[in-house]
Amino acid sequence: MDNPGYVIDCEREFGTVAKCGKPAACREYSFEEAITLTGVGRFHLKLLLICGLCFMAVMVEIMGVSLILPLVKCDLMATLEQQGILASSGFLGVVLSSHAMGFLADTWGRVATLRYAMLFSAICSVVSAFSVNIWMLIVFRFLTGFFISGGQACVFSMCGEFHGNKSRVRHVTLLSCFMCIAMMFAPAVAIGILPLQLNGSLLGLSLSSWRVFLIADVSVSVLALLGLFLLPETPKYLLVQGRVDEALATLRRIYASNSGRSSAEYPVQRLATQSGGASLSSVHGFCDAVHLIWQQTVPLFYRNRVLHTLNICTIQFLIYGIAQGIFMWFPTILNELGKQSAHGSLLCTVLQGFNAASETTANGSCIMTADINTYQVMITIGGAFTIIYLIFAYTIDLIGKRNLLIGWMLLTIVCLALLNWLRNFALVVIALTLAMAIGNCGGLVSTIAMDFYPTQINAMGMCFIMMVGRLGAVVGSNLLGRLMFSSCDASFWAVLGLVMVLSVMAYFLPDQARPKARRQSSAAVAAAADSQEISSK
């Protein structure tokens, strides 16, 4: 290739071949052109699996706590208030660390940040299994959520930056399927472990089934951590950081893995540089760190983005608040609906007759039980959600992200309205499940946000909106449950009204499904607007 006597095909793309007389004359390829030429194959399937395990680990660690509450209540003598704090402690950890995770991912690297996040979260989760009292368990579940938050938001940026425009949306949507797989995995493990009556001790503590369950859940984080060591840093991040040679080497590696050919056959020899990335190498003290965090956060609220950022954050807050508010109390609702006295009754009639105090004790003693039927229903729901996400993944390009989002919200409105009249147990569970499935829309909003924010602030933007979304989950899990059991009718009509507002707000989300020329023009306008914002400050 270095022999000037050879004629080199240096602009081989989209069926067009331009001949150059010598290697030095080869033109520069944009990142989008270069990543498209790598194809989509084995590397991206491996990427999807590893990213999916990271996302799955987050859901298993956060959701797993709600499955052990009846056992922890008796073993550690936890009050109802302490159980509520324990259930939301992981979410609170995610909320408080999401901003920092976004900053680290944008300045240190997506893969490097995720490796340490998974490592420290696994350590904290194992330690939590050996808790001697309820407050130790609460603290270490909070720390588990604090560290594992990177596996939720950073992973979307990491997955998307290995793809071109044609495959990015589908693979990011498929990534969201792992949340549903986690909804099946955690209850399935619970069915195999929690009913066990274990005898003996472990490090001086009684060997309870919930402790073994927490340790078993860590297996997902460990698998994700091992997988992350098989991945390079994203080429788009490397390019924005000015590490052009490393980005090109990564693209060659992807090409070789997907095509089965030698990396030397990759047609791209030169990449067009990009700028705007921030690096931790510029941090030499506390003030530098604060200044860099500020630099990474402020662009989210520039004049050309502030309205979209606020809209995205509000939608995520309400979506996760509604979904988690219902999901948190879903096992309790199933138990109440399954009672003989509840047959043929309206949902709100059953919920307003619920007495939490009567469920905590029997004859003055604490009863430790694991409800297998509830876990089986949750597995079924996880399977249904997986099918929903697969439908999303293979129709999103045809229907459009916003249209799919609005359509699902309209279905949620219908289900919430029907819950005021349905009396059949199966129909009530189906309607309630579909209403709870509005949480799936959070993944669609994430794909819209991922396309909206540029690379240099992409992880920060994703982590920021997921932080707001998880804050909504904390609020919803603590507020909506109380309202459902005290003012059920008013609560469901209020939620229905919120979803109607959400469907209107979704219409104004940024739409990236535009022709290439227009998209490039808009990117140039956004870059110019950013430069103007910076110069004005």
Side-chain angles (χ1 to χ4, degrees):
M1 294 257 327
D2 293 331
N3 190 334
Y6 285 101
V7 177
I8 300 174
D9 296 338
C10 63
E11 290 186 21
R12 186 185 308 139
E13 183 194 7
F14 306 124
T16 301
V17 178
K19 302 287 186 177
C20 300
K22 52 185 178 179
C26 289
R27 74 170 176 88
E28 291 182 332
Y29 284 74
S30 69
F31 174 78
E32 183 60 35
E33 293 169 338
I35 195 69
T36 300
L37 288 171
T38 63
V40 178
R42 287 179 296 179
F43 178 87
H44 292 95
L45 292 176
K46 179 176 70 174
L47 171 72
L48 180 63
L49 176 61
I50 295 170
C51 290
L53 286 171
C54 292
F55 192 29
M56 184 176 167
V58 179
M59 301 309 301
V60 168
E61 291 288 6
I62 300 298
M63 182 177 63
V65 174
S66 63
L67 302 179
I68 64 172
L69 284 179
L71 307 182
V72 170
K73 173 185 67 177
C74 295
D75 202 5
L76 300 182
M77 306 302 292
T79 65
L80 195 62
E81 183 182 36
Q82 289 170 338
Q83 292 175 60
I85 296 173
L86 174 62
S88 59
S89 59
F91 285 115
L92 186 59
V94 170
V95 169
L96 294 182
S97 67
S98 288
H99 198 69
M101 288 295 174
F103 167 72
L104 289 173
D106 279 334
T107 56
W108 192 17
R110 280 66 159 129
V111 177
T113 300
L114 279 171
R115 286 172 183 169
Y116 282 97
M118 288 295 155
L119 174 62
F120 288 123
S121 67
I123 293 172
C124 290
S125 186
V126 171
V127 173
S128 72
F130 298 94
S131 298
V132 296
N133 56 55
I134 187 62
W135 287 109
M136 180 179 174
L137 182 59
I138 289 172
V139 168
F140 277 95
R141 293 317 301 179
F142 166 82
L143 291 175
T144 300
F146 185 91
F147 288 115
I148 209 168
S149 66
Q152 182 169 25
C154 299
V155 75
F156 281 94
S157 295
M158 186 176 76
C159 181
E161 289 176 6
F162 280 104
H163 285 273
N165 287 333
K166 292 184 178 180
S167 59
R168 182 182 298 117
V169 172
R170 176 170 294 177
H171 277 251
V172 171
T173 307
L174 285 172
L175 174 59
S176 300
C177 290
F178 284 86
M179 178 185 73
C180 309
I181 296 174
M183 291 180 64
M184 294 185 286
F185 176 83
V189 174
I191 289 175
I193 295 178
L194 293 184
L196 299 177
Q197 299 295 325
L198 302 177
N199 297 317
S201 61
L202 184 64
L203 298 181
L205 298 172
S206 60
L207 190 61
S208 303
S209 59
W210 66 266
R211 300 182 189 274
V212 178
F213 173 75
L214 289 181
I215 295 174
D217 281 349
V218 179
S219 61
V220 183
S221 297
V222 173
L223 287 175
L225 178 61
L226 294 175
L228 286 168
F229 283 98
L230 302 177
L231 292 179
E233 187 54 76
T234 72
K236 194 169 186 180
Y237 171 81
L238 293 172
L239 191 60
V240 170
Q241 291 291 326
R243 296 151 64 180
V244 182
D245 291 339
E246 293 178 55
L248 192 54
T250 299
L251 289 168
R252 291 192 181 108
R253 174 179 171 180
I254 298 171
Y255 172 81
S257 178
N258 286 339
S259 66
R261 302 175 182 174
S262 169
S263 60
E265 296 183 46
Y266 183 55
V268 178
Q269 302 300 318
R270 298 173 62 197
L271 277 175
T273 58
Q274 296 184 18
S275 61
S279 174
L280 283 180
S281 61
S282 61
V283 176
H284 304 290
F286 177 77
C287 292
D288 287 342
V290 172
H291 181 67
L292 190 56
I293 293 173
W294 178 257
Q295 282 185 322
Q296 288 296 106
T297 306
V298 168
L300 301 177
F301 299 96
Y302 280 172
R303 281 193 296 268
N304 60 321
R305 297 193 190 101
V306 61
L307 293 179
H308 284 313
T309 296
L310 292 176
N311 190 24
I312 291 170
C313 288
T314 304
I315 290 174
Q316 286 289 71
F317 181 91
L318 292 176
I319 283 177
Y320 282 107
I322 294 169
Q324 184 60 30
I326 298 175
F327 181 79
M328 173 74 181
W329 297 98
F330 193 70
T332 301
I333 293 172
L334 287 179
N335 289 338
E336 292 299 304
L337 289 174
K339 292 180 178 179
Q340 187 68 32
S341 58
H343 288 183
S345 300
L346 292 172
L347 174 64
C348 282
T349 302
V350 175
L351 295 185
Q352 292 186 163
F354 173 70
N355 183 4
S358 65
E359 303 295 322
T360 57
T361 60
N363 299 325
S365 62
C366 186
I367 301 177
M368 298 174 61
T369 58
D371 191 348
I372 302 300
N373 293 328
T374 300
Y375 299 156
Q376 291 172 341
V377 172
M378 293 177 71
I379 292 173
T380 304
I381 292 172
F385 282 8
T386 302
I387 295 173
I388 291 170
Y389 265 118
L390 289 173
I391 294 172
F392 281 2
Y394 289 96
T395 59
I396 193 168
D397 289 327
L398 297 174
I399 301 175
K401 293 186 284 291
R402 288 193 311 180
N403 294 334
L404 197 56
L405 185 63
I406 294 171
W408 192 260
M409 288 181 177
L410 293 177
L411 177 61
T412 303
I413 290 172
V414 172
C415 292
L416 287 170
L418 289 175
L419 285 172
N420 290 278
W421 294 287
L422 292 176
R423 294 177 180 271
N424 180 270
F425 174 80
L427 294 179
V428 170
V429 171
I430 291 172
L432 196 61
T433 299
L434 290 175
M436 184 171 60
I438 193 175
N440 295 340
C441 294
L444 292 176
V445 177
S446 295
T447 62
I448 293 173
M450 186 190 64
D451 282 343
F452 176 64
Y453 293 114
T455 303
Q456 59 268 26
I457 59 168
N458 192 276
M460 176 64 83
M462 293 298 295
C463 286
F464 186 83
I465 66 170
M466 294 307 293
M467 175 187 72
V468 175
R470 288 310 169 194
L471 181 60
V474 173
V475 174
S477 60
N478 285 280
L479 181 63
L480 187 56
R482 295 181 182 182
L483 292 176
M484 282 194 300
F485 291 113
S486 60
S487 305
C488 182
D489 287 312
S491 298
F492 277 108
W493 284 114
V495 170
L496 188 150
L498 285 176
V499 178
M500 293 177 67
V501 172
L502 282 174
S503 63
V504 175
M505 295 174 66
Y507 179 79
F508 296 98
L509 286 169
D511 186 8
Q512 298 295 323
R514 294 169 293 180
K516 183 179 179 181
R518 185 179 173 189
R519 189 165 55 239
Q520 290 174 341
S521 174
S522 298
V525 171
D530 283 0
S531 300
Q532 185 177 0
E533 290 273 3
I534 294 170
S535 62
S536 67
K537 297 179 186 303

